[in-house]
Amino acid sequence: KAGVTQTPRYLIKTRGQQVTLSCSPISGHRSVSWYQQTPGQGLQFLFEYFSETQRNKGNFPGRFSGRQFSNSRSEMNVSTLELGDSALYLCASSEISGGVGNEQFFGPGTRLTVL
Amino acid sequence: LAKTTQPISMDSYEGQEVNITCSHNNIATNDYITWYQQFPSQGPRFIIQGYKTKVTNEVASLFIPADRKSSTLSLPRVSLSDTAVYYCLVGDMVGPGTYKYIFGTGTRLKVLA
């Protein structure tokens, strides 16, 4: 099976712009979670989608949003970019949702730089 | 909210056993504890997962005490290729069927020849 893929791998934007990141999960996986990784804050959970519905959400402002399509592919959008949004954005897919026995498979990430 | 803490870094020599502990004071009742390994410029990779007591697979063991407020990842006979950052991950149930996933602070393991 192919692994989790994320596009693009690298992105440079300027403050105030918006950005959309894409994630294709492992075939058959219905859950997609998004994480932000920075040197200062580490890995932080953004949100999880399962069967096109947002199931769980972390503590990020409303500028961070996402969606999931019927084929389980997911997109994450960040509006009005700030310098502090520069980070590695990771997507993870899993067969089930929630915390019980949930093994997540991560993609390589999208490196976003905000200038 | 759950808070997970790990030692920032550890050094070890090849062939030694390494134990990395994660403290998670508010893990959700039904949640498992998962450990991941991350190399530079890559996403985290699953190592092992458990609920309580001991779990062992081909690469590691996971020890979880009865109160589940901590867990210890044990890597037997490490090699240079085990140099990486290791994270624990727990779920924090914030509502019925609603979880936030909390990663530990990460432990940077350096294996020396």
Side-chain angles (χ1 to χ4, degrees):
Chain A
K1 276 186 181 178
V4 178
T5 58
Q6 293 186 245
T7 57
R9 292 293 311 278
Y10 302 91
L11 207 49
I12 299 175
K13 293 284 188 179
T14 56
R15 279 183 299 174
Q17 288 187 310
Q18 75 165 19
V19 66
T20 298
L21 312 181
S22 181
C23 172
S24 292
I26 291 172
S27 177
H29 286 192
R30 294 164 64 190
S31 169
V32 172
S33 298
W34 289 89
Y35 296 85
Q36 181 195 66
Q37 185 172 30
T38 60
Q41 299 298 317
L43 280 154
Q44 293 185 285
F45 173 66
L46 280 155
F47 32 65
E48 179 190 16
Y49 284 85
F50 182 82
S51 295
E52 302 179 63
T53 302
Q54 187 180 88
R55 293 291 297 268
N56 306 305
K57 189 176 185 301
N59 298 323
F60 279 81
R63 299 186 298 109
F64 292 82
S65 63
R67 60 178 176 169
Q68 188 179 35
F69 302 95
S70 58
N71 61 358
S72 293
R73 189 177 70 85
S74 177
E75 288 182 347
M76 190 193 88
N77 185 76
V78 188
S79 62
T80 319
L81 283 166
E82 301 176 0
L83 295 178
D85 297 333
S86 294
L88 180 68
Y89 289 89
L90 292 159
C91 158
S93 80
S94 59
E95 293 181 352
I96 61 175
S97 173
V100 182
N102 188 6
E103 180 179 344
Q104 297 182 49
F105 295 84
F106 284 81
T110 294
R111 172 76 60 188
L112 172 65
T113 301
V114 182
L115 303 176
Chain B
L1 264 183
K3 180 176 170 63
T4 57
T5 55
Q6 303 176 229
I8 293 175
S9 65
M10 298 179 72
D11 287 348
S12 180
Y13 288 95
E14 281 191 293
Q16 289 189 328
E17 178 185 76
V18 171
N19 296 308
I20 306 174
T21 298
C22 176
S23 298
H24 25 80
N25 63 349
N26 195 27
I27 183 173
T29 302
N30 294 328
D31 193 42
Y32 281 58
I33 297 155
T34 312
W35 282 81
Y36 289 86
Q37 176 192 55
Q38 187 178 28
F39 297 110
S41 302
Q42 294 185 23
R45 187 177 70 172
F46 174 88
I47 301 173
I48 195 167
Q49 184 179 74
Y51 184 75
K52 59 181 174 183
T53 64
K54 178 183 175 182
V55 178
T56 298
N57 63 18
E58 62 276 9
V59 298
S61 294
L62 179 59
F63 300 90
I64 305 169
D67 65 7
R68 303 195 340 115
K69 292 186 183 300
S70 67
S71 59
T72 299
L73 172 72
S74 180
L75 304 172
R77 300 179 299 282
V78 294
S79 64
L80 295 176
S81 62
D82 293 319
T83 294
V85 181
Y86 292 82
Y87 294 95
C88 61
L89 172 66
V90 299
D92 181 23
M93 192 165 72
V94 295
T98 304
Y99 291 84
K100 292 185 180 180
Y101 301 120
I102 311 294
F103 267 99
T105 47
T107 299
R108 189 174 299 276
L109 173 65
K110 185 175 182 180
V111 180
L112 307 168

